[in-house]
Amino acid sequence: MQKHINNRITHLFLAIATLLIHFSPSLSARSKTLDLKLGESIDIHGAETSYNHDTGIATAKGDAHISCGNTQLYAEQAEYHVSSGDVYIEGNVSIYQGELVHKGDAAIYNINTGEIKADELRSGLAPMFYKTGNLESEIQELDKISMHSSIITTHDSANPNYQIKAKEVKIVGLNGPKEKRRIIFNNMTVYAGKVPVFWLPYLSQPLDAEQSYQFLPGYKNSWGTFLLNKYGMMIGDKTLATYHLDFRSSRGIAGGLDLKAQKYKNNENFGQFKSYYANDQDSSLTHNNRTRDEHIEPNRYRVNLQHRIKFDNQENSKFYLDIDINKTSDQYFYEDFFPEEFRLNPQPDNILNLQKIFPNAVASLWSRFQTNEFYQTDTRLPELALDVVTRSIGKTGVFYSGEISGGIYEQKLSAKEREEILQGNGISHNLLNEPENLFESLRSRNKHDSEFTRIDTYHQLSMPQQLFGWLNVTPRTGIRGTSYSRINGTDQNDTRKAIHAGLDASFKLTRDYNDLGLSRLGLTKLRHTVEPFMHYSFVAADELNSDIGKIDHLVSSTKLRPIDLSEFTATDEINDWSIIRSGISQQFLTYRDGKAHNWMTLKSYMEHYIDDPEFDRDFSNLYNEITFTPLPWFSISHEIGIPLFAEDPFDYTESNTRITLMPTDQLEFSIAHRFLQDHPILEDSDLLDFRAYYRIGDRWGLSARQRYEFDDGTLEFQQYSLHYDLNSWTAGIGALVADHRSTEDEFGLVFTLTLKDFPSLSVPVGITPSH
C-alpha cells in the first residue's frame, strides 16, 4: 500500500513538473549542473541533467548521483524511467545500501521493488565477498537481500582459491544484531579453485555460528576408514539443527539429529537435544581394538535432553525446572563412538531439579533416577532441600546459616553387579559387617544395594570480629541432626546428632616495593601480602548402626577433606574429629596495562590431627600451591604434597605441575607432570604430558603431543600433525598412536580442511575423531 501511495505522489509531482515545463518559456528541458527533484523520494544530481516530459525519462551525465530513500546510486551517467521505476546506471557504478556497497560496470535498479539487475555486480559483507547478476533488497528496511546466480568467497583475491556458486542466496537480518544474521543457499556447489568439491541442495546458517556443514575423514583401527559429516541448518530463528551422517568401515553407517536452542548457544548445559543411532556391524570390537567378552546388541543409540524451563520468564530466572536426561543402549556406547564425551563424563546422570531462589534462601525439589541399568546409581526419589544463606541476627554481630533436606535414597547396583551377587561372586546383605579398617571400607563400598528415608538438618552460628585492629577471628558453633527410617526396606530406624565447634583466625601483613626496575620479569612495582591463618574444627558425632549402607560417603582422594561441617557432603559418614589446619598465604601483586595483576601466589598448609576421623594420623602431608605468571607468554602452576611428618602407610608424595611457555613467535609449548607415589589406595603414577606447536614461516606449522608414563615405561599417547595455511583454508594431516599396554595399540590418521573466515563451512582442525 505504501508503495502505491509513493508512486501516486511521484506521478503527481511529475505531472506538475511537466505542466510547468510545457507552459513556461523560462524553463528548458536541459540544463548544466542542475539538480532535479522528482517527488519526495527521488533526487537526481549531475554535471548535466535533463528531463523529457514526452517520454518521462530523466537523465544525468557526469558524476551522476541518484538518491532513492535509503539507496544511493553513483555512476558516470544515469537514466530514470518514470513509468517503470527503473534507474539505468552505467560507468563505475556504485550502489550504497546501509553497510552494503555494490560495484559494477552497469546496472538497473528499480525504485519500487528494490531489485538490482546486472551482468556482474560485486559486493561484500565482512568477511564475505560476492558477485551476482541479480539482486533484490527490502526497499524500506534494507533488512534482507536476495541474489541469483551468485558466487561467494572469503578469499580477498582476483583469483580466489575457493568459491561457492549458488542458484539463489539470501542474507537476512542485516539491520539486527550480528548473532541474528543468517545466510541461506539454494543449490550450492563449493569449488576449490575451479574444481567442484561438493554440492548441497540447501543450507541455512547464522553468519556468526561455528557449526554447519563439517566433514572429518580419517582412519582409526577400531573404526577403520571413517568419514564423519555434520550438516547444520536453522529451524526458524530460534533453533539450530545439526544432522549427522557418519560412515565407519568397521562399524557401518550411523547418524542422528542434534537440536540447540539459540538462546542457550553459550551454555552447553541447557537447551539441547541429541540423538544418535548406529547399526553396529561389529559390537564386539572395543574402542582400543580388542575383542569384548560380553555380548552387545548391534542396535546402539543415545538420547540426551538438557533443558531449563523458566516459570517466571526472566533471563536470570529465580524459579525454574532443570531437566537432564541421558539414555543410552549400553555402557560402552560413549567409549566406542564418542570418546571425548566419555573422557569428560563416563557415566551421565539423569536428574530433574525444581528450584526456587528466595532473597535469603534456596529451595529445591530434585530427583536422580536410574535410567540405564548397566550403571550403578544412587537415586533420590525425590529429595527436598532448603538452604538458608548466611544472614545477621539483628545488630548482635552474630550470623546464622542453616540447611535441611529430606528424601528417599537408594543405592542401585548395575545389572552386572546384581548378577554377580546372585551367582555368589559379589557381596550380599549377609556380608555387610563393617570392614576391619577404612582401607577395606574404601575398596569394598558400593558393592551392595542400600535404601533408606533420611532427614538431615544443620544449623550454625558464627561471629566474625577483628581484635586489636589487625587480628581477624571468627568463632562458630553448629549442630547437625540426621534421622533414618525404613532402612533396607525394614522397620529399622536410627538417628545421629553431631555437634560442631570451630575457630578461624588470620591476619595480614602488606609491604609495597616501588621502582624495582625488573622489566624482564614484568616487575616495576610490587605489593607483597602475607596472611598467616589457622582453622580449628571439632566434631562429636553419634555412631550409626553398621547395617546402614552409606550412600553419601567418603571417596578416595589425595586432597584434604572439608573441616567445616556445613561443607562436609559425606552425610552418612560423619565421625568424631578434632583438627587444626594452619598455613600461610602469600600474594605478589603488580600492575599491568593499568590494572592489578597477580604476579605470583604461594600457599602452604597442613593439618594436625588431635582426633583423626579416618586413620590414626598425627599430621597430614605438607601442601604447597604456587601460581606464577610473570609475563603474558610464560606461566607456571605447581601443587605438591610431601610427607614432612607423616608415617607409613600415609607417607605418600603427590606433585602436579604445568608450565606454559612461548619463547618465540614461532614456538609455544606446555609441559604437565603428575607424580603420585606410595598412596595407600591409589596407584602410583609418574605421568608427563607434552604439547608443542611450531610455526614454520607464514604458512606451515607442526604440532605434537606425547603422554609418557615413567612408572612402567609406557608411551601412552602420541599425536603429530602438519598444518598448511591456504589463505582462506587451513589444511592439516595428523596421526595418533595410543598404547593400551596389554591390548593392541590404537592408531588413527585424520585429514582436515578448515575454512577460516566463513562460518557456514567450518571444518575443525583437530585430530581426535569425535563429534
Side-chain angles (χ1 to χ4, degrees):
M1 177 66 69
Q2 184 65 38
K3 292 181 180 178
H4 292 300
I5 294 174
N6 289 341
N7 288 340
R8 289 181 178 179
I9 293 174
T10 300
H11 290 161
L12 177 60
F13 273 94
L14 290 175
I16 294 172
T18 301
L19 290 174
L20 289 173
I21 293 172
H22 183 73
F23 290 103
S24 176
S26 61
L27 291 177
S28 63
R30 181 181 302 275
S31 64
K32 299 286 186 179
T33 62
L34 178 68
D35 295 342
L36 293 179
K37 185 174 181 64
L38 303 180
E40 294 183 354
S41 59
I42 304 296
D43 288 320
I44 301 176
H45 309 271
E48 183 178 318
T49 60
S50 64
Y51 176 72
N52 188 318
H53 61 271
D54 294 327
T55 60
I57 298 176
T59 303
K61 295 182 179 180
D63 297 328
H65 172 206
I66 298 181
S67 177
C68 312
N70 293 324
T71 301
Q72 306 295 319
L73 310 176
Y74 295 88
E76 292 180 1
Q77 62 180 27
E79 285 187 0
Y80 170 51
H81 293 233
V82 176
S83 59
S84 64
D86 287 334
V87 179
Y88 295 81
I89 48 181
E90 184 177 357
N92 296 322
V93 170
S94 297
I95 303 175
Y96 292 85
Q97 292 182 311
E99 62 181 285
L100 297 176
V101 181
H102 313 290
K103 300 280 188 177
D105 296 326
I108 303 173
Y109 174 74
N110 188 280
I111 67 170
N112 299 318
T113 64
E115 182 181 12
I116 304 174
K117 296 180 179 179
D119 292 336
E120 181 179 291
L121 197 64
R122 303 176 301 278
S123 186
L125 180 65
M128 297 182 301
F129 304 95
Y130 56 84
K131 58 183 179 180
T132 181
N134 187 285
L135 186 145
E136 299 176 9
S137 62
E138 292 285 351
I139 187 165
Q140 296 297 329
E141 302 297 333
L142 296 177
D143 190 56
K144 179 177 71 174
I145 60 175
S146 299
M147 299 177 285
H148 302 273
S149 302
S150 304
I151 300 176
I152 293 180
T153 185
T154 58
H155 185 192
D156 188 7
S157 172
N159 298 302
N161 54 26
Y162 93 95
Q163 54 189 354
I164 300 171
K165 295 183 179 181
K167 183 177 180 181
E168 182 182 18
V169 178
K170 293 181 181 179
I171 304 176
V172 299
L174 295 176
N175 280 341
K178 289 185 177 181
E179 59 269 17
K180 291 189 177 181
R181 293 181 177 181
R182 192 166 80 245
I183 186 167
I184 302 169
F185 296 93
N186 282 311
N187 194 4
M188 61 172 285
T189 304
V190 178
Y191 290 79
K194 297 182 179 180
V195 179
V197 177
F198 57 86
W199 170 86
L200 289 174
Y202 177 83
L203 177 65
S204 175
Q205 178 63 34
L207 285 177
D208 72 329
E210 294 181 356
Q211 297 180 1
S212 174
Y213 180 73
Q214 302 182 16
F215 66 94
L216 183 64
Y219 177 83
K220 191 170 181 281
N221 56 347
S222 60
W223 289 358
T225 303
F226 64 82
L227 178 63
L228 309 182
N229 296 276
K230 293 181 183 181
Y231 177 33
M233 60 181 293
M234 293 298 299
I235 300 178
D237 295 329
K238 299 180 179 180
T239 305
L240 175 64
T242 304
Y243 299 90
H244 298 264
L245 182 60
D246 302 333
F247 170 76
R248 303 172 179 88
S249 61
S250 298
R251 299 283 191 176
I253 296 177
L257 169 65
D258 298 347
L259 300 175
K260 179 67 176 178
Q262 289 300 283
K263 67 178 180 179
Y264 295 114
K265 64 180 298 184
N266 296 321
N267 190 332
E268 293 298 326
N269 298 319
F270 303 111
Q272 63 181 358
F273 169 82
K274 293 183 178 181
S275 63
Y276 195 82
Y277 171 80
N279 187 2
D280 197 348
Q281 294 181 357
D282 191 358
S283 59
S284 64
L285 189 65
T286 67
H287 73 285
N288 50 14
N289 205 37
R290 60 186 177 89
T291 302
R292 188 174 284 126
D293 295 332
E294 55 191 298
H295 174 70
I296 300 296
E297 293 292 333
N299 295 317
R300 310 181 69 183
Y301 62 88
R302 67 179 288 182
V303 179
N304 311 95
L305 175 63
Q306 287 79 37
H307 192 55
R308 170 170 288 184
I309 300 174
K310 300 178 181 180
F311 297 107
D312 51 12
N313 294 321
Q314 297 180 7
E315 184 175 352
N316 296 320
S317 177
K318 299 184 182 302
F319 186 29
Y320 55 84
L321 173 66
D322 285 344
I323 303 172
D324 188 0
I325 306 296
N326 301 277
K327 176 64 177 175
T328 184
S329 58
D330 57 84
Q331 66 268 42
Y332 304 111
F333 178 84
Y334 290 99
E335 193 174 15
D336 289 348
F337 291 95
F338 296 89
E340 285 296 296
E341 291 190 36
F342 176 78
R343 182 179 63 84
L344 297 175
N345 188 11
Q347 184 176 321
D349 265 332
N350 286 275
I351 294 174
L352 297 176
N353 179 29
L354 179 65
Q355 186 158 302
K356 173 66 175 177
I357 301 175
F358 299 96
N360 297 308
V362 177
S364 62
L365 177 65
W366 72 290
S367 297
R368 177 190 286 133
F369 43 94
Q370 187 183 47
T371 302
N372 304 300
E373 294 187 352
F374 37 81
Y375 292 144
Q376 183 188 106
T377 309
D378 57 298
T379 65
R380 272 87 164 142
L381 297 173
E383 179 184 88
L384 177 63
L386 177 67
D387 293 337
V388 180
V389 299
T390 302
R391 56 183 305 180
S392 61
I393 302 176
K395 298 182 179 180
T396 61
V398 178
F399 289 81
Y400 166 79
S401 62
E403 60 186 56
I404 183 171
S405 64
I408 303 171
Y409 306 84
E410 183 175 358
Q411 182 74 50
K412 288 191 174 184
L413 300 182
S414 65
K416 184 177 181 179
E417 290 171 329
R418 292 176 182 275
E419 185 179 353
E420 289 176 350
I421 290 177
L422 293 176
Q423 293 175 353
N425 296 327
I427 299 175
S428 66
H429 284 293
N430 297 324
L431 299 175
L432 297 182
N433 295 325
E434 192 72 20
E436 294 182 358
N437 57 59
L438 192 58
F439 292 147
E440 294 300 323
S441 173
L442 290 171
R443 292 190 180 102
S444 63
R445 66 173 75 254
N446 300 337
K447 293 300 182 182
H448 56 81
D449 283 324
S450 179
E451 59 177 307
F452 48 72
T453 299
R454 185 184 73 201
I455 298 176
D456 179 74
T457 184
Y458 179 73
H459 304 273
Q460 178 176 278
L461 298 175
S462 60
M463 190 175 179
Q465 53 189 307
Q466 190 176 77
L467 303 178
F468 315 114
W470 56 271
L471 180 61
N472 301 307
V473 177
T474 303
R476 65 183 76 246
T477 184
I479 184 170
R480 188 165 199 160
T482 310
S483 173
Y484 297 84
S485 61
R486 299 191 59 81
I487 299 173
N488 295 327
T490 68
D491 294 332
Q492 184 182 8
N493 302 324
D494 201 355
T495 59
R496 182 202 61 212
K497 68 177 181 295
I499 298 174
H500 174 227
L503 178 67
D504 300 338
S506 66
F507 64 92
K508 289 184 179 182
L509 300 172
T510 301
R511 182 175 179 179
D512 292 337
Y513 298 88
N514 296 318
D515 301 325
L516 292 177
L518 301 175
S519 57
R520 291 187 177 182
L521 295 178
L523 282 181
T524 53
K525 297 181 180 181
L526 183 69
R527 170 169 290 182
H528 182 199
T529 302
V530 179
E531 182 178 8
F533 62 87
M534 185 276 293
H535 307 300
Y536 173 70
S537 178
F538 169 83
V539 170
D542 298 337
E543 292 187 4
L544 288 173
N545 190 313
S546 59
D547 286 346
I548 296 178
K550 296 175 175 61
I551 294 178
D552 291 327
H553 53 76
L554 296 172
V555 295
S556 301
S557 175
T558 61
K559 306 301 181 183
L560 297 179
R561 312 283 190 190
I563 59 174
D564 188 335
L565 196 58
S566 64
E567 300 174 358
F568 195 81
T569 58
T571 307
D572 302 324
E573 202 163 1
I574 298 176
N575 300 309
D576 293 349
W577 74 59
S578 181
I579 304 172
I580 298 175
R581 180 180 297 175
S582 58
I584 184 170
S585 176
Q586 300 185 67
Q587 183 181 49
F588 298 84
L589 199 66
T590 186
Y591 297 92
R592 188 82 43 86
D593 299 326
K595 299 179 181 179
H597 173 71
N598 196 348
W599 191 73
M600 184 171 69
T601 59
L602 171 62
K603 186 176 182 181
S604 303
Y605 57 94
M606 66 182 303
E607 288 184 346
H608 169 50
Y609 300 103
I610 302 172
D611 185 3
D612 187 357
E614 298 183 63
F615 312 110
D616 188 19
R617 298 171 295 180
D618 292 324
F619 295 94
S620 71
N621 278 0
L622 173 63
Y623 292 88
N624 289 280
E625 300 174 359
I626 303 171
T627 61
F628 182 42
T629 313
L631 298 166
W633 46 266
F634 177 49
S635 64
I636 299 176
S637 63
H638 178 61
E639 299 177 2
I640 185 170
I642 55 176
L644 190 62
F645 302 109
E647 299 178 355
D648 185 70
F650 312 107
D651 56 343
Y652 65 90
T653 301
E654 180 189 22
S655 173
N656 295 288
T657 307
R658 177 175 292 277
I659 301 173
T660 303
L661 179 63
M662 188 176 178
T664 69
D665 292 340
Q666 290 75 34
L667 176 64
E668 56 182 308
F669 64 87
S670 67
I671 300 174
H673 180 245
R674 171 171 171 76
F675 179 81
L676 181 63
Q677 187 178 54
D678 298 331
H679 193 277
I681 299 174
L682 303 177
E683 294 183 355
D684 288 353
S685 178
D686 189 0
L687 186 66
L688 180 70
D689 188 299
F690 174 80
R691 308 183 189 201
Y693 181 83
Y694 184 71
R695 187 176 293 103
I696 307 172
D698 295 332
R699 294 185 177 272
W700 291 94
L702 291 172
S703 63
R705 180 185 177 187
Q706 292 183 341
R707 188 171 66 237
Y708 187 81
E709 176 58 72
F710 288 94
D711 191 63
D712 59 4
T714 302
L715 185 57
E716 294 182 344
F717 184 80
Q718 305 175 67
Q719 174 181 307
Y720 308 97
S721 301
L722 176 65
H723 311 282
Y724 183 70
D725 190 337
L726 297 168
N727 292 325
S728 300
W729 300 79
T730 297
I733 185 169
L736 64 87
V737 180
D739 187 342
H740 298 287
R741 293 175 173 83
S742 60
T743 61
E744 182 180 346
D745 290 352
E746 176 187 1
F747 61 91
L749 182 67
V750 177
F751 172 74
T752 59
L753 191 64
T754 302
L755 184 55
K756 295 188 296 186
D757 297 323
F758 193 43
S760 298
L761 290 168
S762 61
V763 184
V765 175
I767 193 169
T768 304
S770 179
H771 285 66

